[in-house]
Structures are given as C-alpha cells and as structure tokens.
Amino acid sequence: MPELPEVEVVRLGIADHVVGHTITRVVVHDVRSLRRHLAGPADFVHRVEGRTVVGAARRGKYLWMQVGDWTEGEASDAVLCHLGMSGQFLVSEADAPPPRHLRVALTLDDGRELRFADQRIFGGMSFSEDGAELPPEIAHIARDPLDPLFDPAEFATRIRKRQTGVKRAILDQTLISGVGNIYADEALWRVPLHYARNTRHLRAREIESLLGHVGDVMREALAQGGTSFDALYVNVNGNSGYFDRSLQAYGQEGRPCERCGTPIRRDAFMNRSSFWCPHCQPRPRNGKF
DNA sequence: ATGAATACCTGAGAGC
DNA sequence: TGCTCTCAGGTATTCA
C-alpha cells in the first residue's frame, strides 16, 4: 500500500534511472490505467511519445515526470502518476519477461522500458499539459510533511477549524498529503491520540506532536525503503522492511501494545480499519476530550 | 463545511 | 475442488 515514503522511493528511482532519457514508444496494455486521461489512450500515447524526461517530482502520493522536447530543454508538461493501492514502476531491459499486471510500457531511447504494473487499477497515469511545476489536476492536494514549504502553523490553524475526527482530518489530502491508513494509525499511536478525537478541541501541543510523529514515521519508513531497490529495478510493494518490522499499531489486533501491554484493538472506520491501544489512546466520550 | 455512500478494481483467504 | 463471500483501501464524485 504505497503511501508517501514508498512513492518517494519510486521518485528517487525514476530520477536515477529514467531522467535524461527520451520516451520513444508507449504501449497501453490496459486502458483502465489511463482512466484519468480524459482525452483517451490514443491521445496519451501521442502526447507522451518523443518527450524527454527531465525531472521527477512528487506531492503527497502523486508523482510526475517532467517532460520536455529536448534532453536539455525546459519541461512544461508532465506525465502524472498515482500508484493507487498496488501500482509499481519497474525499469527493465526490453527482453525481460513482463511483470504480472503490466498496464503501460514506456520504451526509453536506450531500449530499456519503464513499466507500470498495477493489480487493482486504483492507480493510473495521465498527461498533464503545463503540469511540470505542479499539475493543475492536483492543485487541491496540500503540501506533504516532507515538503520544505509545508507550513505547520497553517496546518494547525486549518485543522482546528475542522469539526471532525483527527484521523479523518489527516487522511484528508487537501489538509495534509501523503498520509494513508497505515501511517495515520502509527502516528496516532505514537502521540498517542485516539482516532476519533475532535480536531476542534486538540491542544496546540497535541497538534505539534502529531505533526512531528507523522514526519518521523515517514522519514523512518523512507530510510528503510530507500535501501531496498537495486540499480535497475525500481519497485514498490506493500512489503518493504518497514511493514515487516516496525509497525506498532497497524495490523496488530490482539497483540500487546509495546508501551503498556494492552491488546491492540481494531475498529471499522471509513471503509477500512483503525488499530489503536485502548489504554494509551482512550476513546473520547464527549468529543471534547 | 462536513461526511456518508458509492464506484472503481483484483486476488488472497475463509467458509461451506 | 469449486463456489461465494469478505477484505484490503486511495480518490473522485454525488448526495444529504
């Protein structure tokens, strides 16, 4: 389940292995991965073929390749990508066997291929005109906690104007981006804070602590995930070392809380699960606490 | 403004 | 073995 750290690993991989190369051919194996390119797959192919990748950028869980017309040229447009639940990018030799669920293949000028595979097709790609700096399609996505221009004071102001549960708020990509279900639960456990705590009544120091832990969890995951891809293989899946070793709340139902030993609970929440320690993260009873 | 519901998807695993 | 059901969940959209 790619969240911000996994997407950043992919961005680094593309920066290392794809930037500087021209896309000579685009093959769309499954049009559903281009659902968000409204002009259709043929238009996508037409617009992407011949373009040179001059940079790789990211905001939250969105990733885009900045594309220009020449290797040294200025990029104005972008190929916008989202990994969804199961998206992967791989850089392979052309004769390497295709991965399962290959959806789009971009041939590079040296014969290698940048391959987009996605089992569940929640992710996808689109061409973004004038999107090099920030694709207009994602103008509503807030800066993420690893962005140097992320403004903690503005975040604090905005979250306290909300009247909703704190987990709902940090999953809202227009308030803070890059946070998914897993890192939300981990950060809330660390503070600790129950997921239903009312944003309106959070104390300043609780918001500060939450933000600190969200950033820490992501930086730690990035440090581990960043070591797991080799020179020719850019890959993201839900099984980075971080998931195996370091989760203290997510997926830990019934296991003792590492702080207090109380069994971790699981609640249904927003069509997914929330994992929390009933002792460290007591459920608020009136919304105020 | 907020949130709830829904659609989009596949495959692993459980239960029968 | 094979069927059906549940679950995993990020985002856009629509409705209350």
Side-chain angles (χ1 to χ4, degrees):
Chain A
M1 286 149 267
E3 298 185 24
L4 184 152
E6 293 73 30
V7 180
E8 176 63 8
V9 170
V10 174
R11 189 194 69 78
L12 290 166
I14 287 175
D16 278 356
H17 304 300
V18 178
V19 166
H21 292 278
T22 297
I23 298 165
T24 57
R25 196 162 105 93
V26 176
V27 178
V28 180
H29 294 278
D30 194 320
V31 298
R32 294 175 298 178
S33 290
L34 298 180
R35 195 184 312 133
R36 297 175 67 177
H37 186 81
L38 300 178
D43 182 78
F44 178 82
V45 171
H46 173 71
R47 287 170 173 267
V48 174
E49 279 183 348
R51 306 302 296 273
T52 299
V53 181
V54 301
R58 183 189 55 73
R59 175 175 284 196
K61 303 172 202 171
Y62 281 94
L63 164 73
W64 62 98
M65 290 182 277
Q66 299 160 319
V67 294
D69 287 321
W70 306 278
T71 308
E72 335 269 321
E74 290 255 317
S76 55
D77 304 325
V79 178
L80 180 62
C81 314
H82 197 290
L83 300 175
M85 285 297 301
S86 52
Q88 301 174 288
F89 275 104
L90 306 97
V91 178
S92 316
E93 299 299 330
D95 57 3
R100 207 152 138 78
H101 309 304
L102 176 63
R103 309 298 185 193
V104 181
L106 311 178
T107 304
L108 304 178
D109 52 11
D110 60 1
R112 291 175 307 145
E113 285 183 10
L114 176 63
R115 295 168 167 176
F116 178 69
D118 186 10
Q119 184 214 115
R120 275 171 267 188
I121 325 185
F122 274 23
M125 309 171 78
S126 60
F127 180 83
S128 176
E129 189 153 6
D130 298 324
E133 196 176 312
L134 180 69
E137 295 87 348
I138 60 165
H140 61 293
I141 302 292
R143 291 186 188 276
D144 61 67
L146 300 191
D147 185 331
L149 295 182
F150 181 87
D151 184 345
E154 186 198 342
F155 172 76
T157 304
R158 289 188 63 204
I159 197 172
R160 288 171 99 169
K161 283 187 187 153
R162 298 290 181 93
Q163 177 129 356
T164 186
V166 63
K167 183 173 175 182
R168 211 179 277 283
I170 60 175
L171 289 175
D172 181 344
Q173 306 294 304
T174 68
L175 195 53
I176 181 172
S177 70
V179 184
N181 199 40
I182 295 171
Y183 296 129
D185 278 3
E186 291 304 303
L188 290 169
W189 181 87
R190 287 186 182 199
V191 176
L193 224 44
H194 187 275
Y195 64 83
R197 283 284 303 279
N198 190 319
T199 49
R200 177 132 325 169
H201 302 294
L202 289 175
R203 310 205 210 312
R205 64 151 60 103
E206 289 176 322
I207 296 173
E208 191 184 345
S209 172
L210 175 62
L211 215 39
H213 285 300
V214 167
D216 286 350
V217 164
M218 287 183 171
R219 278 184 289 271
E220 289 169 28
L222 181 56
Q224 294 185 27
T227 63
S228 69
F229 67 89
D230 65 47
L232 277 183
Y233 193 72
V234 183
N235 192 8
V236 153
N237 57 45
N239 298 316
S240 71
Y242 190 78
F243 290 93
D244 297 334
R245 288 193 296 275
S246 307
L247 295 179
Q248 286 155 310
Y250 181 84
Q252 306 302 304
E253 183 182 19
R255 305 257 283 274
C257 168
E258 285 184 31
R259 245 187 329 248
C260 75
T262 307
I264 297 290
R265 293 264 306 268
R266 178 167 73 103
D267 286 354
F269 176 80
M270 286 176 80
N271 262 339
R272 39 172 86 83
S273 295
S274 267
F275 297 89
W276 57 292
C277 170
H279 179 260
C280 301
Q281 301 163 269
R283 182 190 295 281
R285 43 190 115 274
N286 57 17
K288 182 163 176 165
F289 170 67

Short mmCIF file of all heavy atoms in Angstrom, two decimals, chain A residues 10 33 36 54 59 62 66 72 74 76 79 82 113 130 133 147 155 160 164 167 192 201 218 222 224 244 252 258 262:
data_model
loop_
_atom_site.label_atom_id
_atom_site.label_comp_id
_atom_site.label_asym_id
_atom_site.label_seq_id
_atom_site.Cartn_x
_atom_site.Cartn_y
_atom_site.Cartn_z
N VAL A 10 10.04 5.53 -5.27
CA VAL A 10 9.83 5.41 -6.71
C VAL A 10 10.34 6.66 -7.42
O VAL A 10 11.01 6.58 -8.46
CB VAL A 10 8.34 5.17 -7.03
CG1 VAL A 10 8.11 5.19 -8.53
CG2 VAL A 10 7.88 3.84 -6.44
N SER A 33 -5.97 1.92 -16.88
CA SER A 33 -4.92 2.65 -16.15
C SER A 33 -4.78 4.09 -16.63
O SER A 33 -4.04 4.87 -16.05
CB SER A 33 -3.59 1.91 -16.28
OG SER A 33 -3.63 0.71 -15.56
N ARG A 36 -7.93 8.43 -16.00
CA ARG A 36 -7.92 9.86 -15.64
C ARG A 36 -7.37 10.73 -16.76
O ARG A 36 -7.34 11.95 -16.63
CB ARG A 36 -7.14 10.06 -14.35
CG ARG A 36 -7.84 9.33 -13.19
CD ARG A 36 -7.07 9.40 -11.93
NE ARG A 36 -7.00 10.74 -11.41
CZ ARG A 36 -6.42 11.06 -10.26
NH1 ARG A 36 -5.87 10.12 -9.55
NH2 ARG A 36 -6.38 12.30 -9.85
N VAL A 54 12.86 15.10 -17.99
CA VAL A 54 13.92 15.97 -17.46
C VAL A 54 13.88 16.10 -15.93
O VAL A 54 14.77 16.69 -15.33
CB VAL A 54 13.86 17.38 -18.10
CG1 VAL A 54 14.01 17.27 -19.61
CG2 VAL A 54 12.58 18.09 -17.75
N ARG A 59 4.20 15.23 -4.98
CA ARG A 59 3.49 15.90 -3.88
C ARG A 59 2.57 14.86 -3.27
O ARG A 59 1.71 14.30 -3.94
CB ARG A 59 2.70 17.11 -4.36
CG ARG A 59 1.86 17.72 -3.23
CD ARG A 59 1.16 18.98 -3.60
NE ARG A 59 2.06 20.13 -3.64
CZ ARG A 59 1.65 21.40 -3.64
NH1 ARG A 59 0.37 21.67 -3.60
NH2 ARG A 59 2.53 22.37 -3.68
N TYR A 62 1.15 11.67 -5.11
CA TYR A 62 1.21 11.87 -6.56
C TYR A 62 2.66 12.07 -6.99
O TYR A 62 3.45 12.72 -6.31
CB TYR A 62 0.40 13.10 -6.98
CG TYR A 62 -1.09 12.85 -7.04
CD1 TYR A 62 -1.90 13.14 -5.96
CD2 TYR A 62 -1.68 12.36 -8.20
CE1 TYR A 62 -3.27 12.92 -6.01
CE2 TYR A 62 -3.05 12.15 -8.27
CZ TYR A 62 -3.84 12.44 -7.18
OH TYR A 62 -5.19 12.22 -7.24
N GLN A 66 8.53 15.23 -15.30
CA GLN A 66 8.51 16.47 -16.05
C GLN A 66 9.10 16.18 -17.42
O GLN A 66 10.19 15.61 -17.52
CB GLN A 66 9.33 17.51 -15.29
CG GLN A 66 8.73 17.76 -13.90
CD GLN A 66 9.69 18.39 -12.92
OE1 GLN A 66 10.86 18.03 -12.87
NE2 GLN A 66 9.19 19.33 -12.13
N GLU A 72 18.03 18.73 -22.94
CA GLU A 72 18.40 19.86 -22.09
C GLU A 72 17.26 20.87 -21.99
O GLU A 72 17.42 21.92 -21.37
CB GLU A 72 19.63 20.59 -22.64
CG GLU A 72 20.56 19.75 -23.50
CD GLU A 72 21.64 19.08 -22.70
OE1 GLU A 72 22.15 19.73 -21.78
OE2 GLU A 72 21.95 17.91 -22.98
N GLU A 74 13.63 22.88 -21.38
CA GLU A 74 12.77 23.16 -20.25
C GLU A 74 11.54 22.27 -20.34
O GLU A 74 10.97 22.11 -21.41
CB GLU A 74 12.29 24.61 -20.32
CG GLU A 74 13.36 25.63 -20.06
CD GLU A 74 13.26 26.27 -18.70
OE1 GLU A 74 12.13 26.60 -18.27
OE2 GLU A 74 14.30 26.42 -18.05
N SER A 76 7.69 21.71 -19.67
CA SER A 76 6.49 22.46 -19.34
C SER A 76 5.36 21.51 -18.97
O SER A 76 4.51 21.84 -18.16
CB SER A 76 6.07 23.32 -20.53
OG SER A 76 5.92 22.52 -21.67
N VAL A 79 3.94 13.93 -17.05
CA VAL A 79 3.20 12.67 -17.01
C VAL A 79 2.90 12.40 -15.54
O VAL A 79 3.81 12.14 -14.75
CB VAL A 79 4.00 11.51 -17.63
CG1 VAL A 79 3.21 10.21 -17.52
CG2 VAL A 79 4.33 11.82 -19.10
N HIS A 82 -0.25 8.06 -10.29
CA HIS A 82 -0.63 7.70 -8.92
C HIS A 82 -0.57 6.18 -8.83
O HIS A 82 -1.04 5.49 -9.72
CB HIS A 82 -2.02 8.22 -8.57
CG HIS A 82 -2.29 8.24 -7.09
ND1 HIS A 82 -2.44 7.10 -6.34
CD2 HIS A 82 -2.38 9.26 -6.21
CE1 HIS A 82 -2.63 7.44 -5.06
NE2 HIS A 82 -2.61 8.74 -4.96
N GLU A 113 12.81 -0.36 -20.75
CA GLU A 113 11.40 0.01 -20.62
C GLU A 113 11.08 0.42 -19.19
O GLU A 113 11.53 -0.21 -18.23
CB GLU A 113 10.50 -1.19 -20.97
CG GLU A 113 10.42 -1.47 -22.45
CD GLU A 113 9.46 -2.61 -22.76
OE1 GLU A 113 8.71 -3.06 -21.86
OE2 GLU A 113 9.47 -3.07 -23.91
N ASP A 130 1.13 21.68 -19.26
CA ASP A 130 1.64 22.74 -18.36
C ASP A 130 1.75 22.29 -16.91
O ASP A 130 1.67 23.09 -15.99
CB ASP A 130 0.75 24.00 -18.44
CG ASP A 130 0.74 24.59 -19.83
OD1 ASP A 130 1.79 24.55 -20.50
OD2 ASP A 130 -0.32 25.08 -20.25
N GLU A 133 5.55 22.08 -13.24
CA GLU A 133 5.81 22.62 -11.90
C GLU A 133 4.85 22.01 -10.88
O GLU A 133 5.27 21.51 -9.84
CB GLU A 133 5.69 24.14 -11.90
CG GLU A 133 6.32 24.76 -10.68
CD GLU A 133 6.27 26.28 -10.76
OE1 GLU A 133 6.63 26.84 -11.82
OE2 GLU A 133 5.85 26.88 -9.75
N ASP A 147 7.73 18.20 2.60
CA ASP A 147 7.94 19.36 1.73
C ASP A 147 8.52 20.51 2.57
O ASP A 147 7.94 20.88 3.58
CB ASP A 147 6.58 19.76 1.14
CG ASP A 147 6.67 20.88 0.11
OD1 ASP A 147 7.59 21.71 0.21
OD2 ASP A 147 5.80 20.91 -0.78
N PHE A 155 -1.18 24.55 9.03
CA PHE A 155 -1.85 23.27 9.27
C PHE A 155 -2.61 23.29 10.60
O PHE A 155 -3.76 22.86 10.68
CB PHE A 155 -0.83 22.13 9.27
CG PHE A 155 -1.39 20.81 9.71
CD1 PHE A 155 -2.19 20.05 8.85
CD2 PHE A 155 -1.14 20.31 10.99
CE1 PHE A 155 -2.72 18.84 9.26
CE2 PHE A 155 -1.67 19.10 11.41
CZ PHE A 155 -2.46 18.36 10.54
N ARG A 160 -7.76 22.97 13.29
CA ARG A 160 -8.60 23.36 14.42
C ARG A 160 -9.90 24.01 13.98
O ARG A 160 -10.84 24.15 14.77
CB ARG A 160 -7.84 24.29 15.35
CG ARG A 160 -6.77 23.54 16.12
CD ARG A 160 -5.89 24.47 16.86
NE ARG A 160 -6.26 24.58 18.27
CZ ARG A 160 -5.49 25.17 19.17
NH1 ARG A 160 -4.34 25.70 18.81
NH2 ARG A 160 -5.86 25.24 20.41
N THR A 164 -14.16 17.50 13.17
CA THR A 164 -14.20 16.12 12.71
C THR A 164 -13.18 15.31 13.51
O THR A 164 -12.46 15.87 14.34
CB THR A 164 -13.93 16.06 11.19
OG1 THR A 164 -14.11 14.74 10.71
CG2 THR A 164 -12.52 16.51 10.87
N LYS A 167 -8.26 11.48 12.79
CA LYS A 167 -7.74 10.60 11.73
C LYS A 167 -8.36 10.97 10.38
O LYS A 167 -7.68 11.00 9.36
CB LYS A 167 -8.01 9.14 12.06
CG LYS A 167 -7.42 8.19 11.01
CD LYS A 167 -7.52 6.74 11.40
CE LYS A 167 -7.03 5.84 10.27
NZ LYS A 167 -7.16 4.41 10.59
N PRO A 192 0.23 9.69 22.15
CA PRO A 192 -0.84 8.94 21.50
C PRO A 192 -2.15 9.73 21.51
O PRO A 192 -2.37 10.55 22.40
CB PRO A 192 -0.95 7.72 22.40
CG PRO A 192 -0.51 8.18 23.76
CD PRO A 192 0.34 9.42 23.59
N HIS A 201 -10.93 20.54 19.29
CA HIS A 201 -10.50 20.66 20.69
C HIS A 201 -9.09 20.15 20.93
O HIS A 201 -8.69 19.96 22.07
CB HIS A 201 -11.50 19.93 21.59
CG HIS A 201 -12.90 20.46 21.45
ND1 HIS A 201 -13.24 21.74 21.83
CD2 HIS A 201 -14.01 19.90 20.92
CE1 HIS A 201 -14.53 21.92 21.57
NE2 HIS A 201 -15.02 20.84 21.00
N MET A 218 7.23 8.74 8.59
CA MET A 218 7.52 8.74 7.16
C MET A 218 9.02 8.74 6.89
O MET A 218 9.49 8.03 5.99
CB MET A 218 6.87 9.95 6.51
CG MET A 218 5.37 9.77 6.42
SD MET A 218 4.62 11.15 5.58
CE MET A 218 2.97 10.50 5.42
N LEU A 222 11.00 5.80 4.98
CA LEU A 222 11.77 6.16 3.79
C LEU A 222 13.21 5.68 3.92
O LEU A 222 13.78 5.15 2.97
CB LEU A 222 11.73 7.67 3.60
CG LEU A 222 12.45 8.26 2.40
CD1 LEU A 222 11.95 7.63 1.10
CD2 LEU A 222 12.27 9.77 2.35
N GLN A 224 14.28 3.15 5.48
CA GLN A 224 14.34 1.70 5.28
C GLN A 224 14.00 1.30 3.86
O GLN A 224 14.68 0.47 3.26
CB GLN A 224 13.40 0.99 6.25
CG GLN A 224 13.85 1.16 7.68
CD GLN A 224 12.98 0.35 8.65
OE1 GLN A 224 12.41 -0.67 8.28
NE2 GLN A 224 12.89 0.82 9.87
N ASP A 244 7.29 -5.06 7.79
CA ASP A 244 7.53 -6.31 8.49
C ASP A 244 7.96 -6.07 9.93
O ASP A 244 7.61 -6.81 10.82
CB ASP A 244 8.62 -7.11 7.77
CG ASP A 244 8.19 -7.48 6.37
OD1 ASP A 244 6.97 -7.57 6.14
OD2 ASP A 244 9.06 -7.66 5.52
N GLN A 252 -1.97 -4.89 14.11
CA GLN A 252 -1.51 -5.56 15.34
C GLN A 252 -2.66 -6.01 16.24
O GLN A 252 -2.45 -6.22 17.44
CB GLN A 252 -0.56 -4.63 16.11
CG GLN A 252 0.61 -4.10 15.30
CD GLN A 252 1.48 -5.19 14.72
OE1 GLN A 252 1.97 -6.04 15.45
NE2 GLN A 252 1.65 -5.20 13.40
N GLU A 258 3.10 -2.10 22.61
CA GLU A 258 4.50 -2.11 23.02
C GLU A 258 4.78 -1.17 24.18
O GLU A 258 5.83 -1.26 24.82
CB GLU A 258 5.40 -1.75 21.83
CG GLU A 258 5.52 -2.90 20.86
CD GLU A 258 6.48 -2.61 19.72
OE1 GLU A 258 7.45 -1.86 19.95
OE2 GLU A 258 6.25 -3.13 18.62
N THR A 262 -1.47 -3.69 26.77
CA THR A 262 -2.89 -3.89 26.49
C THR A 262 -3.08 -4.35 25.04
O THR A 262 -2.44 -3.80 24.16
CB THR A 262 -3.66 -2.57 26.71
OG1 THR A 262 -3.36 -2.08 28.01
CG2 THR A 262 -5.16 -2.76 26.56
#
